[in-house]
Amino acid sequence: QVQLAESGGGSVQSGGSLRLSCIVSGYTYGSVCVGWFRQAPGKEREGIASINKVGGSLIYADSVKGRFTISRDNAKNMVFLQMNDLNPKDTAMYYCAARPTCETRFALEMRAYNSWGRGTQVTVSS
């Protein structure tokens, strides 16, 4: 069973940056693709970034493209989400998730992921 744990959330002002981390354990790390999702109060959870098993095939939602960067360090069993130029619309709980298959067309869909972390809160003030 894959286990994931996020960290790095916090409160920042508009225009600021945060770097989220996700440690992945309990499985052959290099055998899973990882995605980042977020859920704002009263809204559905949305996929925002995905990365394949070897650190390629980077996919982003339009809402974060050009501002967020996903990366992974397989030696450390970690995946990162660098978030720049944050704005209040980015306020949400952020989750990392893992999936054993890596079809690109499902990269940002919740149904493709079977293991989830508990989330880390990001709050952006104007």
Side-chain angles (χ1 to χ4, degrees):
Q1 181 70 28
V2 178
Q3 296 176 331
L4 304 100
E6 306 90 341
S7 62
S11 297
V12 296
Q13 292 188 329
S14 287
S17 298
L18 282 173
R19 188 192 194 204
L20 304 184
S21 299
C22 173
I23 186 164
V24 186
S25 61
Y27 199 70
T28 305
Y29 174 69
S31 298
V32 296
C33 288
V34 177
W36 282 97
F37 292 75
R38 67 184 182 185
Q39 188 168 18
K43 295 188 176 181
E44 294 186 352
R45 192 171 299 188
E46 65 167 330
I48 56 174
S50 175
I51 192 167
N52 73 4
K53 298 176 182 180
V54 296
S57 189
L58 308 182
I59 296 172
Y60 298 96
D62 289 343
S63 58
V64 305
K65 198 173 295 182
R67 300 186 299 123
F68 291 12
T69 302
I70 188 171
S71 62
R72 69 191 291 167
D73 184 339
N74 284 352
K76 297 180 180 179
N77 289 4
M78 296 188 75
V79 176
F80 306 99
L81 186 68
Q82 177 66 43
M83 306 187 296
N84 298 328
D85 193 23
L86 288 161
N87 62 67
K89 292 182 179 180
D90 295 316
T91 295
M93 185 71 79
Y94 284 71
Y95 302 87
C96 61
R99 56 175 180 151
T101 58
C102 301
E103 292 184 62
T104 300
R105 57 180 173 161
F106 300 131
L108 300 181
E109 295 192 23
M110 285 182 56
R111 58 176 175 163
Y113 293 80
N114 57 6
S115 298
W116 292 81
R118 294 186 176 184
T120 185
Q121 178 68 37
V122 172
T123 303
V124 185
S125 58
S126 57

